[in-house]
Amino acid sequence: MAKDPTRALRIEPGAKVSLKRWPTDDTFGWEKESAKAELEAVKQRLDVLQQRLAAEQRRSVLLVLQAMDAAGKDGTIRAILSGLNPAGFQVTSFKVPGGPEIDHDFLWRVHSDAPAHGRIGVFNRSHYEDVLVVRVKNLVPKSVWSRRYDHIVGFESLLADEGTTIVKCFLHVSNETQRQRLQARVDDPEKNWKFRAGDLDDRHLWPQFQAAYEHAIERTSTARAPWYIVPADRNWVRNLAVARILLHTLERIDPKLPPPDPSVTGRIVQ
Ligand code: AMP
Ligand code: MG
């Protein structure tokens, strides 16, 4: 495999982030057809490493997906996980908090859905909503949300200390791509169900959301839980990029099959 261009998407700790300067339509020189074939190859590797992770039963991986509406969080999950062993993965979609969630701290519901040892968890939205939509829409006072960045860094470092490797992807779409996709959700009966009138309110707050994302990424991209900014105007680029980032993460932790049990080695099964 040639040098992986997705490495360049990683935000180093302390780096400044200006989303306007990050392309949304990069292709890294990939071609659509060969990228689809490569996605299948990456998924086969993911399958092997997920099995080892399960066999090892000591560590886990958490992939966090954040994005503006219609950037393709659901599509990414479908593309990279379909065909893999469902028992090895868990997907959690975080919605507006309700019930007991609102009576607890913002990390309570998130912590309980962190992946157990041996598993790969994918968060479709996450605790980052609590410094994104919550900040942009003033759902809690600034004095509350502004303290959350440090809490997030501490929380993620706790997970890392206890065996969970975290990787976070911001799926970066252009304003025009979002407009087209939201329009398609209005026009296409098959897509109507994805459209909420509230999506337009969020769209009007585009600059505020971009600024909140920049700040969140700057404050929380750490060596142990890095952010990647993934160009997401083209679904096939986005899918392959996220799959490669996840694969790279698993390769780095290199899960190992447990050594054979000496009391079992060589036994004859009658
Ligand atoms: P969707 O992902 O399109 O199903 O929409 C879920 C909605 O829940 C989005 O509008 C999110 O901004 C919202 N949401 C998720 N987490 C939170 C949170 N902690 N506080 C407020 N809104 C949230
Ligand atoms: Mg939505």
Side-chain angles (χ1 to χ4, degrees), residues 69 73-74 93-97 106 109 124-127 129-130 133-134 137 139 185 194 196 199 202 209:
D69 279 309
K73 297 185 298 301
D74 301 280
S93 298
F94 290 96
K95 308 286 180 185
V96 178
F106 77 105
R109 65 172 182 167
N124 180 347
R125 304 187 189 271
S126 66
H127 42 301
E129 292 293 323
D130 294 279
V133 66
V134 167
K137 295 193 167 167
L139 301 181
R185 290 178 179 187
K194 292 190 201 173
R196 286 179 314 114
D199 293 348
D202 290 359
F209 269 104

Side-chain angles (χ1 to χ4, degrees), residues 14-15 26 29 37 46 63 80 90 116 140 160 165 195 214 233 264 268:
D26 210 348
L46 280 176
L63 171 65
I80 69 174
Q90 62 191 54
V140 300
T165 298
F195 186 82
E214 287 172 347
D233 281 351
V264 168
I268 307 296

Side-chain angles (χ1 to χ4, degrees), residues 204-226:
H204 287 130
L205 294 166
W206 180 277
Q208 289 89 333
F209 269 104
Q210 298 286 299
Y213 267 108
E214 287 172 347
H215 193 65
I217 293 170
E218 284 173 3
R219 288 285 305 270
T220 64
S221 203
T222 59
R224 303 165 88 198

Side-chain angles (χ1 to χ4, degrees), residues 34-215:
S34 54
K36 285 185 173 169
E38 196 192 325
L39 177 61
E40 290 314 307
V42 169
K43 285 167 66 175
Q44 283 182 19
R45 276 294 290 154
L46 280 176
D47 188 51
V48 170
L49 292 175
Q50 192 287 316
Q51 265 195 60
R52 284 190 203 156
L53 191 74
E56 184 193 74
Q57 200 62 24
R58 280 197 301 116
R59 294 177 293 176
S60 53
V61 171
L62 174 59
L63 171 65
V64 172
L65 297 179
Q66 282 288 159
M68 299 295 287
D69 279 309
K73 297 185 298 301
D74 301 280
T76 305
I77 292 169
R78 183 178 175 155
I80 69 174
L81 298 191
S82 60
L84 297 182
N85 178 8
F89 294 86
Q90 62 191 54
V91 178
T92 312
S93 298
F94 290 96
K95 308 286 180 185
V96 178
E101 294 171 349
I102 41 184
D103 295 322
H104 288 86
D105 69 86
F106 77 105
L107 291 171
W108 180 76
R109 65 172 182 167
V110 178
H111 202 170
S112 64
D113 269 316
H117 292 166
R119 309 196 85 205
I120 298 175
V122 181
F123 281 179
N124 180 347
R125 304 187 189 271
S126 66
H127 42 301
Y128 283 94
E129 292 293 323
D130 294 279
V131 290
L132 293 166
V133 66
V134 167
R135 164 179 164 156
V136 170
K137 295 193 167 167
N138 296 311
L139 301 181
V140 300
K142 181 173 183 186
S143 58
V144 175
W145 62 251
S146 61
R147 288 196 297 257
R148 289 181 172 170
Y149 301 96
D150 288 341
H151 290 307
I152 288 174
V153 171
F155 168 64
E156 292 180 352
S157 128
L158 163 72
L159 293 186
D161 282 346
E162 302 277 329
T164 302
T165 298
I166 304 165
V167 60
K168 304 175 293 202
C169 291
F170 171 62
L171 310 182
H172 188 26
V173 281
S174 66
N175 185 286
E176 172 57 15
T177 297
Q178 189 201 48
R179 190 193 64 73
Q180 290 170 10
R181 291 184 184 171
L182 290 179
Q183 188 67 57
R185 290 178 179 187
V186 172
D187 297 342
D188 180 349
E190 286 288 320
K191 295 182 176 168
N192 282 169
W193 64 276
K194 292 190 201 173
F195 186 82
R196 286 179 314 114
D199 293 348
L200 295 183
D201 299 337
D202 290 359
R203 179 166 167 74
H204 287 130
L205 294 166
W206 180 277
Q208 289 89 333
F209 269 104
Q210 298 286 299
Y213 267 108
E214 287 172 347
H215 193 65

